[in-house]
Amino acid sequence: MRVAVLAFAGMSLFETGIVTEVFGLPRPELDVPWYRLRICVPGRAPVPVVGGAVLHPEGDLTDLVAADTVIVPGVTSVHADPAPEVLDALRAAHARGARIVSICSGAFALAAAGLLEGRRATTHWRYADRFRARFPGVPLDPSVLYIAEGDVWTSAGSAAGIDLCLHVVRTDHGAAIANSVARRLVVQPHRDGGQAQFIEAPVPAEASDDRIAASLSWALAHLAEPLTLPVLARQAHMSPRTYLRHFTRATGTSPIKWLLRQRIQASLALLETTGSSIEQISAAVGFDSPVTFRHHFAASMSTSPSAYRQAFRRGGA
């Protein structure tokens, strides 16, 4: 089974290294026909990469078109398309039946080649707005680690390339073989959750209405208390109806949605840095029960509080 990975001048070697580690190492102990990997560059020209090294690839775009699986790592710029001959090669490989895979911002190259039009896709969360602006015909989902949509597969940030490469192995050879490769890499065969747990939460802009801003500051200092619309309205010296109107105008959301978001965000630091139980944390940030906390946490973060703590725990109580 032939795998081709596209190399770019100025690229990071991490994503190419992922592909090489999964598909390029011989694995005779697995007793299955393994992959034949080739790094491909137009004209087989030497490729300068991040860090000052230079790749001397054995493959060119002819090899890429002939491969069974083509992998495109993160592009060097999300503002410009790859060279026309690269886009033509991606289209030709897809037309002859190759599985096309991207890692991180490599989805921009696939979209520029027209291979993602009308298909669900993902890319790194920090490029989501740029991607939607450039390719409005692609239904983008930046909340997941990877999407296998037909014969065109996309993954999120660089490390999510490991998840997708293991999924390729799982699809081709079954779970036992993929699990064996994952153990060799010392990674999980399948990670819980999606990109939501990694997205940096922006600091909310202050509300333009001083009364609303004051009520928000007060609410953040009293998250553990029952906070209702009338309670918040009293802090702003408004009627509930007037407060709701001003709140929506100032924040672009409702008080309930705002409170849920703040309570989830407040719980993250407690999960990461304390040994408090889920029950204690849910009460500390104002949820009326651990069940309610788990429900809203999973809806917001695409994982459970326990799984988040296991992944991000930085210290003890």
Side-chain angles (χ1 to χ4, degrees), residues 169-220:
V169 175
R170 188 181 304 113
T171 300
D172 294 342
H173 297 294
I177 297 295
N179 291 350
S180 180
V181 175
R183 282 193 292 271
R184 287 282 298 272
L185 294 171
V186 198
V187 298
Q188 295 172 295
H190 179 77
R191 281 196 288 171
D192 292 330
Q195 287 197 80
Q197 57 192 300
F198 303 101
I199 295 174
E200 296 170 357
V203 177
E206 291 188 8
S208 57
D209 188 319
D210 289 343
R211 294 170 297 174
I212 299 297
S215 71
L216 299 185
S217 297
W218 180 88
L220 289 174

Side-chain angles (χ1 to χ4, degrees), residues 60 144 158 222 253 258 314:
D60 58 17
V144 296
S158 298
H222 296 81
T253 188
W258 183 87
R314 291 198 296 257

Side-chain angles (χ1 to χ4, degrees), residues 53-286:
V54 178
L55 283 178
H56 295 272
E58 295 182 346
D60 58 17
L61 294 183
T62 301
D63 299 298
L64 184 141
V65 172
D68 302 298
T69 297
V70 173
I71 302 178
V72 181
V75 297
T76 54
S77 173
V78 298
H79 304 285
D81 294 342
E85 63 265 32
V86 170
L87 299 181
D88 288 342
L90 292 174
R91 296 184 191 106
H94 181 253
R96 59 165 295 277
R99 174 172 50 199
I100 312 295
V101 176
S102 69
I103 299 175
C104 194
S105 61
F108 282 79
L110 272 54
L115 303 183
L116 292 178
E117 194 71 17
R119 296 177 185 264
R120 284 183 66 239
T122 193
T123 189
H124 194 292
W125 56 264
R126 69 190 296 252
Y127 301 133
D129 290 342
R130 169 65 58 182
F131 190 95
R132 289 190 180 104
R134 290 193 60 194
F135 307 109
V138 180
L140 187 73
D141 184 355
S143 68
V144 296
L145 294 176
Y146 63 83
I147 293 175
E149 179 84 356
D151 54 5
V152 182
W153 299 4
T154 53
S155 61
S158 298
I162 300 174
D163 300 282
L164 186 51
C165 287
L166 288 173
H167 186 63
V168 170
V169 175
R170 188 181 304 113
T171 300
D172 294 342
H173 297 294
I177 297 295
N179 291 350
S180 180
V181 175
R183 282 193 292 271
R184 287 282 298 272
L185 294 171
V186 198
V187 298
Q188 295 172 295
H190 179 77
R191 281 196 288 171
D192 292 330
Q195 287 197 80
Q197 57 192 300
F198 303 101
I199 295 174
E200 296 170 357
V203 177
E206 291 188 8
S208 57
D209 188 319
D210 289 343
R211 294 170 297 174
I212 299 297
S215 71
L216 299 185
S217 297
W218 180 88
L220 289 174
H222 296 81
L223 283 178
E225 301 175 15
L227 298 178
T228 63
L229 177 59
V231 168
L232 294 175
R234 280 199 298 273
Q235 293 301 316
H237 305 289
M238 298 179 184
S239 70
R241 175 180 291 184
T242 302
Y243 181 82
L244 181 59
R245 185 172 66 253
H246 283 260
F247 188 99
T248 303
R249 183 185 305 140
T251 67
T253 188
S254 69
I256 291 176
K257 290 181 180 179
W258 183 87
L259 278 170
L260 279 175
R261 186 162 63 244
Q262 302 312 314
R263 282 172 165 153
I264 294 297
Q265 288 299 316
S267 75
L268 300 185
L270 298 177
L271 290 167
E272 293 173 15
T273 62
T274 78
S276 301
S277 68
I278 300 300
E279 289 75 13
Q280 291 170 324
I281 291 173
S282 67
V285 298

Side-chain angles (χ1 to χ4, degrees), residues 10-13 48-54:
M11 70 186 296
S12 167
L13 281 176
V49 297
V50 171
V54 178

